[in-house]
Structures are given as C-alpha cells and as structure tokens.
Amino acid sequence: MEQEKIAIIGGGVAAMTAALYLTEQPNWQQKRHITVYQQGWRLGGKGASGRNAAMGQRIEEHGLHVWFGAYVNSFKTIETVYDKLQRPPTSALSTWQQALKPHSFIALEEHIDEQWQTWPIEFPVLPGNPANGSLDITVWDFVKMTLAWLKEWIPQFELAARVKAKSTQLTTKKLRDRYLLRYFHQQIQTLVSDGSEAWQTFTSDIHNLNQEITSTPSLLVDKLNSFVQSNNTLQPQISEKKDSLVVWYIVRKLKRWINQELTELLDENAALRRIYICADLAIAMLVGLIKDKVYRDGFGVINKYDFRQWLLKNGANKQYSIDSAPVRGFYDLVFAYPQGDFKKPNVEAGVAALAMLRIGLCYRGGVMWKMQAGMGDVIFAPLYELLKQRGVNFEFFHQLQQLTPGVDASGQNCVASVLLQQQVSLNSSSEYQPLVDVKNLACWPSEPLYQQINPAQALLLKQNNINLESFWSDWPSCYQAHFGAQLPTKTLQFKDDFDQLILGVSVASLEHVCPQLLAIDDNFAAQAKNVLSVATQASQLWLNKTDQQLGWQYVPFSEEGPILSGFSEPFDTWAAMQNLIDKEQWPASNSPQNIAYFCSAFPCQEYPPQSDHGFPAQAKAQVKTNLTQLLTTNMQPLWPLAYNDNDFDWSILYVKDDVTGSARLAQQYWRVNVDPSERYVLSVAGSSQYRLATDGTQFSNLFITGDWIKTGVNAGCVEAAVMAGMQTARALCGYPQQISGEYAFEAL
C-alpha cells in the first residue's frame, strides 16, 4: 500500500494534537508519512516557552499558561502523551500528574469608592481525573447547579433582611402565577416531608384556591431544588416547557424580592454585595437560557449578543453586576477586547455562558491546574519526543510563505503547492536537535541552538539580533546583503510531496499566506475577516521577597499563591508562580524567592506591512513602559510593602549582577505578541457563524486546524485547539471517534 503523504504546517497545540492522533492507530506508518514544517527553532505557537541559558535557565513564556480543570480533551491528550512516552522515573517530570498540579485559589479585584478591594475565592477540590470528565452538559445541569447555590445564598439574604427589619414574606396574586405554583406543588408534594409553618401555609393556600398564595424565599428555593431533581420534571418534549416556566417564574420572583429588600444594604456590606452579584448573575443567566430556549436550540442561538448585553437583557443589575469583578475577570481571561480597546469589551454570549458553565460544572481536581515548568517543557517537549519516537519528521526553520491553489484530478479546488522559506542551513547533514536538558528535564531554549547552524549564518543572526519567529524580521534582507543571494526556498508539490495538507497557522496569518485561496472560497474569506484576534502582552518578574513579604494579605488554607484577574490596566491579570523556581537553574547562593507573571490584551489598532522591521521593537518598548507603570503605581494595593513612601522599592527585583534602582527592571522579562501567529483568537458577537469545520473549505486536500475553527468551544484556548486537532485527525483517519463537548452550539 502506498503511504499517504501528510504535510503539517505549524507546531502549535492543534497541529501537534492532530499529529498525535494520526499516529495513535496501530501500523499507522504503513498508511501515512507525516512531516511537520515549523518556522524557527521550537514548537508551541502561542503556547511556546523557552529557557534562557544566560539567566539561570529561567522559563520565558508567551503569557500565563494555566489549564482549567474542565479541559477534558486536553487532559485526555496529555495523559496519552505521558503514558505512551514512558519517561524514566528519574526524569524531573515523568508523569502528567507531576507536570500539572491542581490549583484552587482565585482572586478578583473590585474597584469600590476609588479603591481596589480583593475578593478571594477558594474553589473546592473535587475528586477525579480531569481526563475522565465530560463537557457534554445541558442547560438543565446549570439550572440545578444555580438553584443549589441559591439554596445556600437565600438564607443569608433572609438573615440580612431580618436584621434590618425587611420583609421575608412573598405573595402570589396573578392567576397565571397561581396556576404555576399549583402545578409546582402537585409535582413536589410527594417528594417532600416538611412540617414547617411556612410549608403548611403554602399548602393550605394551594388547596383552598386562595386568591393569594403565601410563601418565603427559603421555602421556594428549597422546594424548587426538589422539583428540578425529580425524575418527573425537565423531560424533553413532555413537561419541559411547563417546568421551565415554573423555574423561570420562581427565580424571577426571588430576584424581585432580593432587589426590593436588599440592594440598599449592598454598599455597606462587602460579603452581602458579593453574594448578591453571584446570585444576580446566576439568575440572569438562568432566565436567559430558559427565555431564549437555549435548552432546545443550543448555545449558538445567543451568540448574536455580547455577553454583557445578554446579561443586561435578562435582568442583571447594571449598577452592581454587569461590570462586576466576575464579569470583568472573564473578559480579561479571554482577552475579549478587540484591538486591545479596554473600553469596548466583546465576547459572544453563548461562548461565554457555556465556558463559565463548564468551568464551574465540569472541573475535576482543581478548578485550575498549574504547570510545574514552562508550557514548552510540560506540553511540547514530551509531544515532540513521542512523535519523533513514532517516526514523524520535523523540518525546523521552514517559514510558510504562500499556498497556491489548483485543481485536482476530479476537477475540485485543491492546494497545488506550498512555498516555504528555508531560514537557515545546518552545519551538518544531520537534522536539527532542538531540546536542551535543564535539571533532568527536556526543554526548548529561548533562542536557536546556534552551534547546529551554519557558523557564518549563526554569527550574522546574533550580530543583528534576528528573531526567526517574527513576521517583521529583516533576516531575508540581512542575509542577501551579506551573502549576495536570497534565502533559499522549498516548494512542496501536490502528489509529489504531499497528498493532504494540515494548515496549523492561526487565523490572523490567513490573509498573508493564502490570499489566492481566500479569493476563491468566499466562506474561507469570511472566516478570515470575521474571526478576529488581538495582540497580547506579558511580563515576568523574579523577586527577592515572597508574596506575603510584599504585603499580599490573602493566604488560603492551601497556602497557594493567587491567580488574580479583573485588575487595573495595563496588566489586569497576575499569577503567583513561586512553584517554578526549583525548575530553573539559579545559583544556590543567589536565587530568587518568588516569580510573578502578568498579562493582558495589548492596544494595537493597526499592524504595519511586513517591511516595517522596527514595529516589534516599538511595541515591546511600550510593554516595558506599561510594566514600569504597573510597578511604580498600580501594584501598590496588592503589594503595599513593596513601596517606601509611595515609591516602588526596586531592590525587590532579583538580578544576577550588582545593579541598582530602576535599572534592575532590565533583567526581568517582557514581550508583546503582535505576530499574526501569536495573537489571541477572539469570539466577538456574531463571529461563530463564520467558523468552518476542519474540512470546511472548498479545497479537497486542505484541513484547517486551530482554536479559530468550529470546535464546540469557539474561543481562544488550549481546549479548543486540542479539539480542533482531534477533529482534523478524525477527518483524515476516522480517529478519535468521540470528542467531548463538540456539539454544544447546535440544536438538540
């Protein structure tokens, strides 16, 4: 049997996931020959990280790389990698359980009366392996979860109301509403045993057909929990419509009572305000999911709205909830600011609602999981090692220039050729060996391993500080000026060099690498235009003091450092990453005590042409300015002990050399992700309709993959990228058959 030749362009999460599952079946090499073409010296895409040999082999990331415990497909995939790779026990991270550890402590920032207040949240640790979870949840799963939380919150509201002599009695007068409560009582009367006066009064009013039915908030929420847990309710096509009206009516009644009796108490009681915000948002989501018939039509039906817009439409409190810390924290999480404009947040309501439900309902272990080294070390190094063992070929230093369309033997559009620029020549005929060992762990370096590159080229690269991963690199002109010739290219021809092409670049790259394809395929062009992306910025600080020594006041029982969001710009997210110090290689006599990661969207309205080689440096300089502002001004509410008379104490920054004052900042790390392949994929309102399936273009031999295609998540994240790679592999070889959560946006 002749092998099918598969070319993979790009080494990000989706592309490598596709390669993994294409090689999972027995005897796959008899069927396929797979070659990965990657620009620069490392795999990873937006998830790449590197080790800086000149600075203690420190980890340098693109941003904050933390997984959620609801990333079911991602954990299944990485569990497969580690189990199949079978690293020796002496390896620093020989199992995935050593490589990722559960994390439960989240902090959100509220801006109240011109001051920042920290809202600490410690999620419960749940039993189970995230790889064994499921993303296939229903709207009714959320209804049940919300009502369970309301059952906890309502008594606290009642207590606050009684303390302030507020009413805790509810009456129902309208005929339709009384009918719903009679139906409600009929469904639950055999399920409950309640001798309370409130229940007896409620039952009496129902049986006597009174013109008013009396109840209390606690009574209604308690019995509503029994109602939705019953086997006789929420049954599709039977009682679902009537049951949904009951839920809709009761939660709205509870909301009216809360607003009427308690909102005037919120400004003086932070704990009550936070419970109110959670309850208000949960009720608004619940009402919207029922009113918009998401339980029937799928989450895609509300993607025409921005999430904030949809919450407001369904009754969320504008003053307290719409711009609350949980909402801002979610927008920050997905960098939901087109062009980096923090005044114009935008994310699809269906995408956001589903993501929040999955995060809360589907996680196993910790709500988040922290990598115990860089993402390149924890994810991409073992992926590369396993794929190499299996016989996948890797061609590093091959930058995609152009895809050219053609017509195949059956008259269908296809990709006829792939033009690649060969960025460097190796100094021997052997293939590039990309990994380095750091404390018995295979890692990607933060720059090419120059000793493997042609010496003259390596010297020129270093002299001109060339970044081979940059879209704006002036390497071609430097090379031509020095060697008197253009960089060599390689052209892959359909049938000769590849039968199937997996395009693993990100969506912002499409206009640059395949404009001829977009001119032919209107749907592909619409996807490239409407699925937007945003530049991001990231920084890392190595510190001489712990979080507590800096003045951070919130230490949970787990003693975890925070992952914090909803903070002030230009960096709205902070993660305490002290856990990484022992994976770096600092002198025992002079080692940092702490590490802080920061990230956020990066304001950038327009991107200059490729010929503007100075653009990345200009953008990176702005990140340094933003980082300076963060330290000199913004961090004081979180790190008050890092300031002397309101001046930042620069000595808390760890440095290798004897440097003083603000000059110590130069030895920290910051970056800007402006390259088309590095920008974060957005889910702006109405954009999901333009996402194509992996085989959704007009080109018979082209499979697109990445977190920008149609996946069942439709948002920029590892889980979406993994699902995309799984879908690509399935389209090519039929495996894997099942992908958890991929149909969430479709009608049931």
Side-chain angles (χ1 to χ4, degrees):
M1 181 195 308
E2 185 177 349
Q3 289 178 309
E4 182 179 53
K5 298 181 288 293
I6 299 176
I8 300 178
I9 307 295
V13 170
M16 292 302 93
T17 300
L20 175 72
Y21 284 101
L22 284 170
T23 60
E24 270 290 281
Q25 295 172 308
N27 303 317
W28 72 270
Q29 287 178 304
Q30 297 178 14
K31 303 174 184 177
R32 298 173 205 98
H33 181 274
I34 301 175
T35 304
V36 176
Y37 296 91
Q38 169 65 33
Q39 74 170 2
W41 65 95
R42 58 182 168 180
L43 303 179
K46 293 189 289 292
S49 70
R51 295 302 193 109
N52 188 330
M55 294 292 291
Q57 292 289 3
R58 71 185 187 187
I59 298 163
E60 298 177 342
E61 300 267 12
H62 276 63
L64 175 59
H65 292 140
V66 175
W67 285 14
F68 280 98
Y71 284 177
V72 173
N73 297 290
S74 301
F75 277 98
K76 284 180 180 177
T77 299
I78 205 62
E79 181 181 58
T80 297
V81 171
Y82 277 84
D83 287 352
K84 298 291 178 66
L85 184 58
Q86 287 290 295
R87 278 178 165 171
T90 54
S91 174
L93 301 174
S94 59
T95 67
W96 76 264
Q97 292 93 338
Q98 294 172 336
L100 293 125
K101 297 290 186 181
H103 180 88
S104 302
F105 181 44
I106 312 298
L108 299 172
E109 288 300 309
E110 296 183 290
H111 200 231
I112 308 294
D113 295 331
E114 301 302 315
Q115 291 187 329
W116 289 101
Q117 297 184 21
T118 297
W119 179 348
I121 306 168
E122 192 165 11
F123 284 78
V125 176
L126 300 181
N129 177 352
N132 298 330
S134 173
L135 294 180
D136 293 310
I137 59 173
T138 70
V139 169
W140 299 124
D141 291 323
F142 171 69
V143 169
K144 294 173 183 178
M145 180 189 74
T146 301
L147 294 178
W149 278 109
L150 286 175
K151 186 178 178 179
E152 297 292 322
W153 293 328
I154 289 296
Q156 298 179 62
F157 287 137
E158 285 187 329
L159 177 61
R162 286 193 292 269
V163 168
K164 295 293 185 178
K166 300 286 186 178
S167 173
T168 58
Q169 188 176 65
L170 305 175
T171 57
T172 298
K173 299 179 180 180
K174 291 183 180 179
L175 179 63
R176 187 200 68 168
D177 298 340
R178 285 186 280 125
Y179 166 76
L180 288 174
L181 288 184
R182 284 198 296 272
Y183 172 77
F184 170 59
H185 184 271
Q186 179 185 0
Q187 295 298 105
I188 64 171
Q189 59 184 337
T190 60
L191 302 175
V192 299
S193 177
D194 189 341
S196 69
E197 181 180 347
W199 174 250
Q200 298 303 322
T201 301
F202 181 72
T203 299
S204 176
D205 289 345
I206 295 288
H207 286 162
N208 294 331
L209 302 179
N210 290 351
Q211 296 300 303
E212 289 188 5
I213 298 176
T214 304
S215 59
T216 67
S218 286
L219 175 77
L220 288 184
V221 76
D222 179 62
K223 301 305 182 284
L224 192 56
N225 272 272
S226 299
F227 177 77
V228 298
Q229 296 294 339
S230 170
N231 293 329
N232 297 322
T233 57
L234 307 182
Q235 297 183 44
Q237 314 306 326
I238 300 177
S239 60
E240 191 173 58
K241 183 175 181 180
K242 188 182 294 184
D243 295 343
S244 68
L245 286 174
V246 168
V247 176
W248 185 67
Y249 165 69
I250 291 177
V251 297
R252 291 178 75 243
K253 190 170 189 67
L254 293 172
K255 178 180 174 64
R256 284 195 296 271
W257 170 75
I258 295 170
N259 284 342
Q260 181 177 333
E261 301 295 334
L262 297 171
T263 50
E264 66 182 49
L265 309 179
L266 302 182
D267 289 341
E268 63 188 51
N269 189 327
L272 189 67
R273 181 183 68 246
R274 290 165 183 174
I275 296 173
Y276 172 85
I277 289 169
C278 292
D280 188 62
L281 291 173
I283 290 172
M285 289 178 66
L286 189 152
V287 168
L289 294 173
I290 292 175
K291 187 171 67 174
D292 291 325
K293 296 182 172 57
V294 177
Y295 61 85
R296 183 193 69 190
D297 299 331
F299 283 87
V301 74
I302 57 173
N303 274 336
K304 59 187 175 183
Y305 304 110
D306 168 64
F307 184 52
R308 271 185 169 101
Q309 176 192 8
W310 181 71
L311 288 172
L312 192 61
K313 170 178 173 284
N314 289 293
N317 186 290
K318 186 174 183 179
Q319 179 182 354
Y320 291 102
S321 303
I322 292 298
D323 198 39
S324 63
V327 174
R328 288 186 296 105
F330 182 82
Y331 278 77
D332 293 347
L333 171 70
V334 294
F335 302 95
Y337 306 99
Q339 297 183 331
D341 188 342
F342 297 107
K343 296 180 180 179
K344 296 180 180 179
N346 190 326
V347 64
E348 290 176 304
V351 166
L354 178 60
M356 295 179 86
L357 303 191
R358 284 172 166 170
I359 288 170
L361 278 170
C362 301
Y363 81 88
R364 298 291 182 271
V367 67
M368 288 183 174
W369 288 68
K370 274 187 175 180
M371 296 177 196
Q372 300 305 298
M375 187 163 177
D377 315 332
V378 169
I379 306 301
F380 290 100
L383 259 171
Y384 170 76
E385 290 178 311
L386 181 61
L387 292 173
K388 281 294 292 181
Q389 283 183 14
R390 291 180 170 182
V392 173
N393 301 294
F394 286 85
E395 296 284 353
F396 291 96
F397 304 109
H398 282 73
Q399 187 180 59
L400 177 62
Q401 301 295 300
Q402 193 71 47
L403 302 184
T404 302
V407 178
D408 64 18
S410 61
Q412 291 183 287
N413 289 322
C414 69
V415 176
S417 65
V418 179
L419 178 63
L420 301 164
Q421 186 177 80
Q422 295 181 259
Q423 296 175 293
V424 300
S425 301
L426 301 180
N427 61 12
S428 71
S429 59
S430 61
E431 63 182 323
Y432 185 70
Q433 304 296 323
L435 301 178
V436 295
D437 184 276
V438 180
K439 301 177 76 170
N440 207 23
L441 181 66
C443 302
W444 302 89
S446 59
E447 60 183 19
L449 297 175
Y450 291 110
Q451 65 271 25
Q452 297 185 46
I453 297 174
N454 173 281
Q457 294 181 24
L459 180 61
L460 192 62
L461 287 166
K462 289 188 282 187
Q463 286 176 338
N464 290 277
N465 196 27
I466 298 294
N467 179 3
L468 292 174
E469 294 176 329
S470 174
F471 175 76
W472 285 275
S473 169
D474 60 349
W475 175 234
S477 58
C478 286
Y479 181 94
Q480 184 167 14
H482 186 85
F483 294 106
Q486 293 185 339
L487 277 170
T489 60
K490 177 187 292 185
T491 301
L492 309 180
Q493 299 290 350
F494 180 41
K495 291 301 182 184
D496 293 335
D497 303 298
F498 68 96
D499 299 299
Q500 309 290 352
L501 178 67
I502 297 175
L503 184 61
V505 302
S506 194
V507 66
S509 300
L510 297 180
E511 64 175 308
H512 303 292
V513 300
C514 55
Q516 296 177 62
L517 274 62
L518 301 181
I520 293 172
D521 188 336
D522 291 342
N523 291 335
F524 198 19
Q527 182 179 33
K529 177 181 178 182
N530 293 289
V531 179
L532 306 181
S533 63
V534 65
T536 62
Q537 56 186 330
S539 64
Q540 296 167 220
L541 304 178
W542 285 262
L543 306 164
N544 291 317
K545 293 186 177 182
T546 66
D547 298 328
Q548 288 70 46
Q549 290 171 336
L550 295 171
W552 174 249
Q553 300 177 14
Y554 305 91
V555 182
F557 180 76
S558 64
E559 298 186 355
E560 293 175 334
I563 295 178
L564 178 147
S565 198
F567 194 43
S568 61
E569 308 306 340
F571 286 99
D572 49 44
T573 300
W574 161 45
M577 302 296 283
Q578 185 178 1
N579 59 298
L580 299 180
I581 292 175
D582 70 336
K583 297 302 186 298
E584 300 177 337
Q585 196 165 294
W586 300 103
S589 59
N590 181 23
S591 172
Q593 302 301 305
N594 196 5
I595 306 176
Y597 281 31
F598 301 93
C599 65
S600 72
F602 179 76
C604 186
Q605 294 187 352
E606 295 181 356
Y607 297 91
Q610 196 168 11
S611 58
D612 188 350
H613 305 307
F615 171 67
Q618 296 167 12
K620 187 176 180 181
Q622 181 59 52
V623 178
K624 184 181 181 183
T625 299
N626 295 341
L627 180 58
T628 303
Q629 176 188 328
L630 175 76
L631 296 180
T632 56
T633 306
N634 295 30
M635 283 301 287
Q636 191 164 6
L638 304 183
W639 292 350
L641 300 184
Y643 294 80
N644 298 317
D645 296 328
N646 295 323
D647 291 330
F648 182 71
D649 179 5
W650 294 102
S651 70
I652 70 169
L653 298 182
Y654 170 86
V655 292
K656 285 184 62 179
D657 308 317
D658 188 18
V659 180
T660 60
S662 60
R664 298 171 78 95
L665 187 64
Q667 291 191 31
Q668 309 306 307
Y669 179 72
W670 60 93
R671 67 173 294 130
V672 63
N673 301 307
V674 290
D675 278 271
S677 60
E678 294 177 338
R679 296 175 211 156
Y680 198 91
V681 175
L682 298 178
S683 306
V684 299
S687 64
S688 274
Q689 63 183 306
Y690 298 103
R691 290 174 176 254
L692 301 178
T694 185
D695 56 355
T697 74
Q698 292 184 16
F699 304 95
S700 60
N701 61 345
L702 177 63
F703 296 84
I704 54 177
T705 200
D707 57 6
W708 49 278
I709 72 169
K710 179 182 177 182
T711 60
V713 172
N714 290 6
C717 64
V718 165
E719 183 70 356
V722 168
M723 292 170 72
M726 295 170 77
Q727 290 173 326
T728 300
R730 184 177 60 191
L732 282 161
C733 72
Y735 182 82
Q737 293 183 344
Q738 302 298 322
I739 303 172
S740 184
E742 65 178 324
Y743 300 116
F745 295 105
E746 300 177 19
L748 302 179

